[in-house]
Amino acid sequence: MKYIRNNNGVTTNTFGLGLSYNDYKVIEQGWNKLPNNILFPVSLKLNAGYIVYRFNFGLSYDPIKKGIIINFGRVF
């Protein structure tokens, strides 16, 4: 994670990159067939966000699984 503090000292921009490995167990029969990219064991996360007065808002994208995550919360 890279933090870049703005000149006003209130807002911090965040940029991040992450890689994770996922271990999926047996999927019960009867479910619809999932696309192969969903069950691929590696995830890549590209994220960016802002921290304003200890409140965090961010967006994360996984180009392998084609997933988007919206994050918000309080920074401790």
Side-chain angles (χ1 to χ4, degrees):
M1 184 70 71
K2 176 70 175 167
Y3 296 96
I4 302 172
R5 185 166 299 280
N6 292 342
N7 291 335
N8 61 14
V10 173
T11 305
T12 303
N13 299 341
T14 62
F15 300 95
L17 175 69
L19 185 68
S20 64
Y21 177 79
N22 306 292
D23 183 20
Y24 299 106
K25 301 298 179 192
V26 176
I27 296 179
E28 299 293 328
Q29 292 185 7
W31 291 88
N32 293 334
K33 176 126 175 85
L34 297 172
N36 288 336
N37 67 326
I38 298 294
L39 297 176
F40 190 70
V42 176
S43 294
L44 176 66
K45 300 285 194 247
L46 308 169
N47 57 53
Y50 294 101
I51 300 173
V52 180
Y53 291 115
R54 302 186 65 79
F55 182 77
N56 180 27
F57 174 77
L59 184 67
S60 206
Y61 175 67
D62 183 348
I64 296 172
K65 297 182 183 288
K66 309 288 190 278
I68 296 175
I69 301 169
I70 298 173
N71 303 309
F72 60 91
R74 186 171 185 275
V75 177
F76 295 97

